[in-house]
Amino acid sequence: MTSYPKTSALMARGSEFLGTEHAILCGAMSWVSERNLVSAISNAGGFGVIACGAMTPELLDTEIAETKKLTDKPFGVNLITMHPQLFDLIEVCTKHGVGHVVLAGGIPPKGSVEAIKASGAKVLVFAPTLALAKKLLRSGADALVIEGNEAGGHIGPVATSVLAQEFLPELAEDHVVFVAGGIGTGDMIAAYLEMGASGVQLGTRFACAKESIAHPDFKKAFFRAKARDAETSVQVDPRLPVIPVRALKNKGTEEFSAKQREVAKLLDEGKVDMGEAQLQIEHFWAGALRRAVIDGDVEGGSLMAGQSVSLVTEEEPVAEIITKLMEQSEAALTRRNRV
């Protein structure tokens, strides 16, 4: 007998798809979503996701092996579609029998979805438009994550609430759809589940969990921040299609503008092509994030955070965060059913 009958009933499809007790995914956050946080989330009944980011196949191999030592529950791996060694990374996931791979950061390259599915794994994709979502689902993707502008890290231009109204009525009946971006409480989870979502994804809410290896100063910056402090990066040159990133405003935000100008100049001079230019930007983020998360450089590093950062006020164990979210969702659904 579940302690959260109403929430669990609405999450049933997502939980079955993930193989978990609760259909709560952790967003893949570079340097943060590693073995400790991922295993803690899976052990607490959620679904942890390793953020591969700019990792080499060797590093990912080690990370998956180490995560498996800490949990026997299902967890996934998030791969960036523009990674130059994407197919090698897929092979590493296959070798370890990873059951779910999330493809993020762009349209999956030809053959990537098939390569993942060949091992029996499930593929989750992101889509910024309904037309693209339908195309990806037709092309073999098993589930969809719709992520709104309120989220942290790389974001699209449309709010989660609008995406949910647009996508869920069209897709939720026939497909597994997770909603992400700006979710910090169980009340919000309940609302999206009622609209037809199979589950939710949260990143910012877990970034400062007790099990997160993020530096104490990184966590303190989150506890102090208000929703409006999580700003989107500015695109300096329209010819350089940089996906905007939401992070807490600091000196690192300005450094990113300078980096864009530098890469745009190299592009102008023909010293790099567009693919290489975008990779350079990705590597900049990987380095800036590392400085903030691992070294605690909260001024020069990148403090990627969603607008729900205002709801993160203390360090809590992952199990408590998940329990709280489920209790809040159940209470919200119970209140609504009284009417």
Side-chain angles (χ1 to χ4, degrees), residues 2 4 7-8 11-12 14-26 37-49 70-75 178 198-200 202 206 211 317-323 325-326:
T2 172
Y4 317 105
T7 305
S8 296
M11 278 184 173
S15 299
E16 189 185 341
F17 174 80
L18 297 169
T20 56
E21 195 181 341
H22 312 306
I24 297 177
L25 285 130
C26 179
L37 185 62
V38 169
S39 60
I41 287 166
S42 290
N43 287 334
F47 190 81
V49 179
L70 299 171
T71 185
D72 57 1
K73 301 278 175 67
F75 63 87
F178 297 96
S198 300
V200 291
L202 292 83
F206 289 119
E211 296 87 346
V318 161
E320 277 182 29
I321 295 172
I322 290 179
T323 298
L325 293 170
M326 291 299 289

Side-chain angles (χ1 to χ4, degrees), residues 130 146 159-170 179 192 195:
L130 187 56
I146 55 176
T160 307
S161 55
V162 175
L163 291 176
Q165 291 173 81
E166 194 182 336
F167 283 57
L168 292 174
E170 291 265 347
V179 178
Y192 289 131
M195 288 174 75

